[in-house]
Amino acid sequence: MVQEDYPRRFMIKNICCIGAGYVGGPTMSVIADRCPHLNINVVDLNKKRIEAWNSKDLTKLPIFEPGLDEVVGNTRGKNLFFSTNVGESIKKADMVFISVNTPTKSRGIGSGEASDLRWVESCARDVAKYAEGHTIVIEKSTLPVKTAATIKSILNSVKNSFKDTEKSFAVLSNPEFLAEGTAISDLENPDRVLIGGEDQDAIEALANIYKSWIVDEKIIRTNLWSSELSKLAANAFLAQRVSSINSLSAFCEETGANIDEVSKAIGLDKRIGDKFLKAGPGFGGSCFKKDILNLVYLSRSLGLDEVADYWESVLQINNWQQKRIYKKIVSTLFGNISNKQIGILGFAFKSNTNDFRESPAISICRDLLEEGAILKIHDPKVEAKDIEKALENEFSDIDNCNNKKGRDQCGYFVVEKEIEKTFYDSHAVVILTEWEEYKIIDWENFTKNMIAPSWIFDTRNVIDQSDFKSNNCNIWKIGNGIKN
Ligand code: NAD
Ligand code: UGA
């Protein structure tokens, strides 16, 4: 169906996206690229982030995603604009995407589990205040089931209190399924697009935008609550697979089985499928943990304790996997890592992103530092200041750490720009992210400068054992039961 087939109030020309983060920025860039007839304003309260989105040098965009620079380069200043002018942009918009952060609540009712909806609520209030005429409001953020009812209620009550009879709203749920590191290709060629709602005209107005590059068969229409729940369910299922394979990685280590062989054997069964069967140090990223916590919280609120317990166990295995790896490193190094130098390769929660939110590297590094280790940390994309922030500056310099919390010893870390330097004088090197550069290391040369008996801990199974030539270094690979 073409744009002209719609009643005038559903002809979309101006779009506002509130939130210029990992979702808002890439999603709107791809829509702008595929729909040159639309004008898209991405707005954010964070001035620095907006400045970075507007930086002339496309390598300075606030987010690293393969292909993002090209899409932004094609569209920015033509039909894609980044600004802090939230009110003005809402005013002009026919359609507003809410794409703001929805972290876990850190205090009050539901603390540690429920989603903190303060940013979503503030967006709804801004839309109610500034919108003119008919506006389609779209939940792009991942939200608890039934949030659309809250948004509708805010839109309508604020509208009524302004006695503005000219305003009207339709609310849709359109969750985003992109994964970081592959965001642009996921957006350009998604497995599906999900639109939940009641207002058929609004649903078709949004579907019509996606139809500019996605076939209609891939655009699923559901009711609002199915759409909100499907997003939480998709993340929970993906995380569950990672916890399942990680649980079996420990089993392999005890029995002589090999986790990559097991993954291949089960993944070839079409009913199981081969994706998300890679063992590792545990899943990270900003969403799996918070979305499962949210599902657990909602289940308990509905009196479904068994359902809550079931999904909570996915998180328990994930925490256990991270602790298990740290304990393995300590026990292998004779139960003592105090003042021992350990190289860390990778801080991002996965490769091809500069995002380190909930990265397993954070908890593993903290535990090693608590034991007194000296860490040399390398990551190709995560900046030194971010690594310092993640480790809370607590361990970042030696003078600062003495006598802290009454400890007589504690570790510290430095950030290394060169991979090779993480090996010099180290007792062990731990691979925590599967970056390509770690797959082609000259092991024979680099391990020469380590302190014997030295160890490489490959928590991502990136090293091909047949390439690993080293005279004086041992290797431990996750889920590899073959004893060295
Ligand atoms: P983010 O933290 O990177 O970006 C959110 C942005 O919203 C921030 O820049 C913040 O300043 C801005 N913001 C908050 N309140 C605002 C307001 N009232 N007005 C203007 N700007 C405001 O978050 P993200 O990673 O892009 O995630 C956004 C949502 O999308 C979350 O609900 C998340 O669960 C979901 N999601 C994320 C991913 C992902 O890969 N990161 C994938 C799918 C879905
Ligand atoms: C995930 C989902 O894949 C997206 O569909 C979803 O939109 C997004 O969350 C979200 O809602 O935020 P993302 O977290 O970016 O995307 O990355 P994933 O590729 O899913 O990886 C998550 C974590 O699981 C990473 O730490 C990764 O290393 C780990 N993982 C993944 C494994 O350990 N093994 C695997 O086989 C796959």
Side-chain angles (χ1 to χ4, degrees):
M1 210 185 281
V2 292
Q3 185 92 16
E4 289 73 41
D5 294 341
Y6 287 99
R8 230 196 115 57
R9 73 190 195 115
F10 293 111
M11 281 181 58
I12 306 302
K13 178 75 190 140
N14 290 304
I15 289 181
C16 165
C17 173
I18 312 178
Y22 283 85
V23 169
T27 308
M28 293 303 128
S29 305
V30 169
I31 295 182
D33 196 34
R34 298 305 168 112
C35 305
H37 59 283
L38 296 175
N39 267 321
I40 303 182
N41 281 292
V42 187
V43 291
D44 203 294
L45 298 174
N46 183 333
K47 205 164 159 258
K48 274 207 174 124
R49 212 166 204 185
I50 290 298
E51 277 167 10
W53 278 111
N54 283 326
S55 62
K56 279 205 183 101
D57 179 353
L58 289 169
T59 63
K60 300 257 160 58
L61 296 179
I63 288 162
F64 170 73
E65 273 296 334
L68 177 66
D69 49 353
E70 199 186 324
V71 187
V72 172
N74 287 344
T75 51
R76 201 181 52 190
K78 292 180 192 150
N79 66 331
L80 176 70
F81 305 91
F82 293 92
S83 85
T84 51
N85 204 339
V86 179
E88 194 54 36
S89 167
I90 294 173
K91 207 173 188 177
K92 285 194 289 195
D94 309 305
M95 189 177 260
V96 176
F97 286 84
I98 297 179
S99 188
V100 296
N101 36 320
T102 50
T104 304
K105 267 184 97 173
S106 57
R107 56 169 68 111
I109 297 168
S111 174
E113 279 189 348
S115 289
D116 190 339
L117 294 180
R118 75 178 92 166
W119 294 277
V120 173
E121 183 172 336
S122 126
C123 290
R125 289 182 189 281
D126 281 347
V127 175
K129 183 172 171 191
Y130 294 110
E132 289 185 351
H134 185 70
T135 310
I136 300 173
V137 181
I138 297 169
E139 296 175 342
K140 194 51 139 170
S141 296
T142 304
L143 296 167
V145 183
K146 295 283 183 187
T147 306
T150 308
I151 294 178
K152 276 185 197 175
S153 155
I154 292 170
L155 292 173
N156 290 328
S157 57
V158 178
K159 178 185 105 145
N160 293 341
S161 69
F162 276 78
K163 296 196 174 39
D164 194 338
T165 49
E166 293 297 301
K167 293 186 199 213
S168 61
F169 301 101
V171 177
L172 301 178
S173 159
N174 173 223
E176 185 48 61
F177 296 101
L178 68 80
E180 289 180 28
T182 52
I184 300 302
S185 60
D186 292 344
L187 288 162
E188 289 180 339
N189 189 19
D191 287 347
R192 79 311 206 177
V193 166
L194 179 55
I195 304 176
E198 290 152 357
D199 182 326
Q200 294 308 314
D201 291 335
I203 292 173
E204 291 315 312
L206 178 58
N208 200 39
I209 292 174
Y210 285 113
K211 279 194 270 181
S212 299
W213 77 100
I214 297 160
V215 292
D216 194 44
E217 292 70 45
K218 283 189 175 184
I219 303 175
I220 302 167
R221 285 90 163 161
T222 66
N223 78 31
L224 274 167
W225 324 127
S226 304
S227 174
E228 289 176 337
L229 178 58
S230 297
K231 173 62 198 177
L232 296 181
N235 275 359
F237 267 62
L238 291 168
Q240 178 205 44
R241 280 174 74 97
V242 177
S243 278
S244 298
I245 206 70
N246 283 342
S247 73
L248 293 177
S249 70
F251 197 99
C252 288
E253 287 158 29
E254 296 303 319
T255 56
N258 177 300
I259 198 64
D260 281 347
E261 291 176 357
V262 175
S263 294
K264 187 168 180 193
I266 62 174
L268 283 171
D269 184 329
K270 286 197 186 69
R271 295 168 302 172
I272 296 174
D274 62 357
K275 304 282 192 303
F276 269 71
L277 288 180
K278 191 89 182 106
F283 56 76
S286 64
C287 295
F288 278 2
K289 184 175 164 193
K290 88 165 165 65
D291 293 347
I292 295 177
L293 283 169
N294 187 4
L295 189 59
V296 168
Y297 179 74
L298 293 173
S299 303
R300 281 206 210 289
S301 313
L302 296 167
L304 303 170
D305 284 347
E306 287 76 6
V307 179
D309 292 347
Y310 174 72
W311 289 109
E312 200 162 33
S313 71
V314 171
L315 292 175
Q316 284 162 356
I317 288 286
N318 199 51
N319 293 338
W320 172 78
Q321 182 79 342
Q322 297 177 14
K323 290 283 177 207
R324 190 172 86 72
I325 285 169
Y326 137 70
K327 286 179 186 164
K328 183 76 202 171
I329 296 166
V330 176
S331 66
T332 307
L333 299 181
F334 311 114
N336 164 42
I337 57 168
S338 183
N339 277 321
K340 284 184 179 166
Q341 188 176 291
I342 297 175
I344 300 290
L345 293 181
F347 202 78
F349 79 98
K350 62 188 276 197
S351 60
N352 285 323
T353 178
N354 59 348
D355 195 348
F356 57 92
R357 290 178 289 180
E358 299 293 339
S359 175
I362 299 174
S363 105
I364 293 171
C365 286
R366 278 200 186 144
D367 282 338
L368 295 172
L369 288 163
E370 277 293 335
E371 288 268 348
I374 301 160
L375 302 184
K376 289 200 160 184
I377 305 174
H378 173 272
D379 190 281
K381 290 289 174 202
V382 183
E383 289 182 25
K385 68 172 171 34
D386 288 332
I387 295 176
E388 276 159 32
K389 199 164 65 188
L391 298 176
E392 287 173 353
N393 289 324
E394 194 173 340
F395 302 103
S396 61
D397 80 65
I398 192 163
D399 299 330
N400 194 26
C401 75
N402 291 327
N403 299 323
K404 187 166 270 184
K405 295 185 198 154
R407 289 187 301 232
D408 54 356
Q409 292 169 331
C410 71
Y412 65 95
F413 70 90
V414 287
V415 178
E416 283 294 352
K417 285 209 169 84
E418 288 169 49
I419 298 174
E420 195 170 356
K421 287 198 177 154
T422 63
F423 288 75
Y424 289 153
D425 295 333
S426 286
H427 292 255
V429 167
V430 188
I431 301 174
L432 290 178
T433 315
E434 71 284 18
W435 286 102
E436 281 305 311
E437 25 289 72
Y438 304 153
K439 296 180 184 168
I440 50 166
I441 284 174
D442 178 352
W443 296 107
E444 197 165 10
N445 235 334
F446 283 19
T447 55
K448 266 184 202 156
N449 301 312
M450 295 179 74
I451 293 176
S454 57
W455 282 87
I456 305 297
F457 293 90
D458 180 4
T459 73
R460 295 278 190 174
N461 277 345
V462 296
I463 304 175
D464 184 340
Q465 200 117 11
S466 58
D467 287 347
F468 189 79
K469 294 187 185 68
S470 174
N471 288 333
N472 46 14
C473 189
N474 306 289
I475 181 168
W476 176 90
K477 284 166 70 65
I478 197 149
N480 189 343
I482 300 155
K483 303 285 176 232
N484 294 288

